[in-house]
Amino acid sequence: MEKLLEIDDLRVRFTTEFSKADALNGLNLVIHKQESLGLVGETGAGKTTAALSILNILSKNGEVLSGDVRFKGKSCFQMSTRELLDMRGNRISMVFQNPMTSLNPVFTIGEQISMVLRHHKRMSNKDADEYTKKLLKSVNIPEFRLHDYPQQFSGGMRQRVGIAAAIACNPELLIADEPTTALDVTIQAQILELLKELQRNYSTSLLMITHNLGIISALCEKVAVMYAGRIIEYGSVKEVFSRPKHPYTIGLLGALPNLEGKRDRLNAIPGRIANAKDLPDGCRFHPRCSHCEERCRTESPVMKESDGNHCAECFLC
């Protein structure tokens, strides 16, 4: 399959007056055309930082120390301002985590979507409005709501508006950053089904960022497990979920409730996720790992392929 996006040994640091935090520590990732990839990990693993790096929209205190992000072979960090503006929302779009704050409250939803079409597709006001109505219909929002403001919508409807804006230009890559976190279970299911349908209709590659393994299994073909700013396991959803290699992945799967069998308690992973301000030496997971050996405390394991395209970064694999 043809590579669409490549992240190569990316290292990102956030600096404040009092501290430094290494959010990404040698991140490597590849997304192919028409592929759906799930990026999973606990809060603080660096998932959102990875997404913002792809679009080159890190905050001012964020610094790329090394590495690169290439979209169709071209570095996102070397693109001109004009190239970046053309890429964002047109070739790569993002659905943000919080539907309550991702839309501008002073513009109608119709204006916010048609603005994307006028900018990237050079549509007239009339054509943009007509196409916006079609987009709203595709995400199950009546066209008469075109002139309503975001605060007149529920959280689930706002998220659907955000998705409509994201797919307006038929992007080659859609990044969905925890798109169902603030929604109830029923609305979550509707949003996931919508993303499935849109991916089929538009043949778009999907990067789904979440901490919910159930979402990954329902929506993605491949999964990358992230910890302390690195990918520590990668493979097909079937392989990784049925035969996990890394102790962290095993712990994540063990923490899921089992509806088919009896289990007295969930198996929580001990300790806390590695602190980006003070990362441990050696394997980043070793302070929480029950299989920790002496070399895990001082040496960093490398990614090793075990079964076909199933890889893990662990001395035990």
Side-chain angles (χ1 to χ4, degrees):
M1 295 175 68
E2 185 180 347
K3 293 179 181 178
L4 183 67
L5 183 85
E6 298 171 84
I7 302 178
D8 183 23
D9 196 29
L10 185 61
R11 299 175 186 274
V12 172
R13 173 177 292 170
F14 290 95
T15 305
T16 67
E17 184 180 352
F18 305 103
S19 64
K20 295 179 180 179
D22 293 317
L24 299 181
N25 301 284
L27 179 66
N28 292 284
L29 197 63
V30 175
I31 301 175
H32 298 90
K33 282 193 173 183
Q34 299 182 24
E35 181 178 71
S36 54
L37 172 69
L39 186 59
V40 66
E42 294 170 280
T43 299
K47 304 185 301 295
T48 297
T49 300
L52 298 179
S53 299
I54 291 171
L55 291 169
N56 198 0
I57 53 174
L58 290 169
S59 58
K60 290 184 178 180
N61 66 330
E63 177 189 6
V64 176
L65 300 180
S66 63
D68 201 3
V69 177
R70 293 184 295 276
F71 179 68
K72 301 187 77 170
K74 181 153 189 177
S75 171
C76 297
F77 300 143
Q78 295 178 7
M79 290 182 181
S80 65
T81 301
R82 185 172 182 176
E83 288 175 316
L84 285 171
L85 290 175
D86 176 66
M87 179 184 74
R88 298 170 186 151
N90 184 21
R91 305 174 72 190
I92 302 179
S93 287
M94 185 166 175
V95 180
F96 291 91
Q97 182 171 353
N98 191 344
M100 304 300 180
T101 59
S102 58
L103 297 171
N104 193 323
V106 302
F107 292 104
T108 65
I109 64 162
E111 174 62 19
Q112 294 187 60
I113 298 174
S114 62
M115 191 184 303
V116 177
L117 295 166
R118 294 197 303 270
H119 175 74
H120 289 298
K121 299 302 183 184
R122 302 292 188 266
M123 288 187 180
S124 65
N125 289 344
K126 182 179 179 181
D127 290 343
D129 285 345
E130 287 302 312
Y131 194 68
T132 296
K133 291 177 183 178
K134 293 180 182 178
L135 287 168
L136 290 176
K137 185 177 180 181
S138 73
V139 296
N140 302 318
I141 293 179
E143 64 177 55
F144 69 83
R145 304 292 307 265
L146 186 74
H147 303 295
D148 288 347
Y149 290 86
Q151 53 269 33
Q152 294 174 269
F153 292 82
S154 66
M157 292 185 78
R158 290 191 204 189
Q159 196 63 290
R160 294 205 293 270
V161 171
I163 292 172
I167 64 170
C169 297
N170 192 13
E172 295 173 77
L173 174 63
L174 178 63
I175 303 171
D177 184 13
E178 302 271 13
T180 61
T181 295
L183 309 177
D184 63 55
V185 176
T186 304
I187 303 301
Q188 283 185 25
Q190 293 175 8
I191 295 297
L192 294 179
E193 189 57 39
L194 175 61
L195 287 172
K196 276 185 185 178
E197 184 179 342
L198 293 173
Q199 193 186 12
R200 286 194 299 266
N201 294 342
Y202 291 89
S203 299
T204 300
S205 297
L206 174 67
L207 175 60
M208 170 59 72
I209 298 172
T210 184
H211 62 272
N212 189 323
L213 297 175
I215 290 176
I216 298 297
S217 64
L219 203 61
C220 300
E221 304 163 300
K222 300 284 183 66
V223 59
V225 182
M226 194 169 182
Y227 187 82
R230 294 179 64 86
I231 302 301
I232 59 170
E233 187 159 359
Y234 171 88
S236 70
V237 170
K238 182 179 180 180
E239 279 290 325
V240 173
F241 283 17
S242 63
R243 292 186 288 182
K245 303 292 184 184
H246 197 283
Y248 177 63
T249 310
I250 295 171
L252 287 179
L253 292 167
L256 293 176
N258 185 355
L259 299 180
E260 296 180 356
K262 293 183 179 180
R263 182 184 293 178
D264 294 330
R265 294 178 62 88
L266 297 180
N267 300 318
I269 302 174
R272 297 182 179 180
I273 191 169
N275 186 349
K277 297 178 183 178
D278 185 24
L279 291 169
D281 294 330
C283 172
R284 308 299 194 196
F285 186 64
H286 87 257
R288 307 175 68 187
C289 184
S290 60
H291 303 285
C292 178
E293 300 176 351
E294 188 56 38
R295 63 174 175 172
C296 301
R297 306 177 193 277
T298 56
E299 300 177 36
S300 297
V302 296
M303 187 70 79
K304 291 185 292 186
E305 185 176 301
S306 55
D307 299 313
N309 200 29
H310 186 179
C311 311
E313 190 179 87
C314 179
F315 291 120
L316 301 177
C317 298

